[in-house]
Structures are given as C-alpha cells and as structure tokens.
Amino acid sequence: MNFGGIIVGLVTFLIIGAFHPIVIKAEYYIGKKCWWVFLLAGLLSAAVSLFVQNWVGATILGVLAFSCFWSILELFEQEERVKKGWFPSNPKKKK
C-alpha cells in the first residue's frame, strides 16, 4: 500500500491549520511589516523542494512554500479584519 497521498494530505491539513494562528499572532505582535519573513521562508522552502529526491518530502515542502506565500496576503487582510473590529488590536503595538 502507498501511504504517500495520505501523508501529504495530513501534513497539508496541519500546515494550513498552523498558519492560521501564526498569521493572527504575527499581525497582533509585529504587524504587516513581517511579510518578508514569510517571503523568505517560502522561497527557501520552494528552493529546497527542488532538491529533495523523495516525492512526499518535495510535495510537503512545496505546500509549505505556497502556504508561506499565501500568508503574506493573509497578513495584510488580517490587518483589515483588525481595523473592522473582527479581531482584537494590540494596544502595545506601535501604529
């Protein structure tokens, strides 16, 4: 039996689930100015995925890369959600 697809599906689910609170916390404590961290992490993950021989590992790194890229957009959208009052604003964060 080949469990590769199940493993990729499960890890994809976990990565997406982990990035949701990461984006919320990043916007709360740092703000959208940390977008470049997600960009660098995405570029690094994408580059490493090109050299991984195992298809499961390469696929998971690709999912991680594009989750990082998507998080850049979500970071800016999270700021808008905070402005609308849907999420709390950090009173200690410099505006």
Side-chain angles (χ1 to χ4, degrees):
M1 291 193 342
N2 184 354
F3 289 101
I6 299 295
I7 292 168
V8 168
L10 176 63
V11 174
T12 299
F13 176 75
L14 294 173
I15 288 171
I16 292 170
F19 270 84
H20 180 69
I22 288 171
V23 167
I24 292 170
K25 296 293 184 187
E27 195 287 324
Y28 184 82
Y29 289 108
I30 303 167
K32 66 181 177 185
K33 64 185 175 188
C34 68
W35 68 269
W36 60 270
V37 175
F38 290 103
L39 178 64
L40 288 177
L43 291 173
L44 181 65
S45 299
V48 171
S49 75
L50 295 173
F51 298 100
V52 172
Q53 297 295 319
N54 181 306
W55 75 268
V56 173
T59 303
I60 289 170
L61 285 167
V63 168
L64 179 63
F66 282 87
S67 294
C68 288
F69 297 147
W70 184 261
S71 294
I72 296 169
L73 173 66
E74 284 298 315
L75 194 59
F76 285 86
E77 289 182 358
Q78 179 65 18
E79 182 182 57
E80 293 302 315
R81 290 188 282 264
V82 170
K83 286 180 184 176
K84 291 178 181 179
W86 297 352
F87 284 85
S89 176
N90 184 353
K92 296 180 183 178
K93 187 172 71 175
K94 295 179 184 176
K95 303 263 178 199

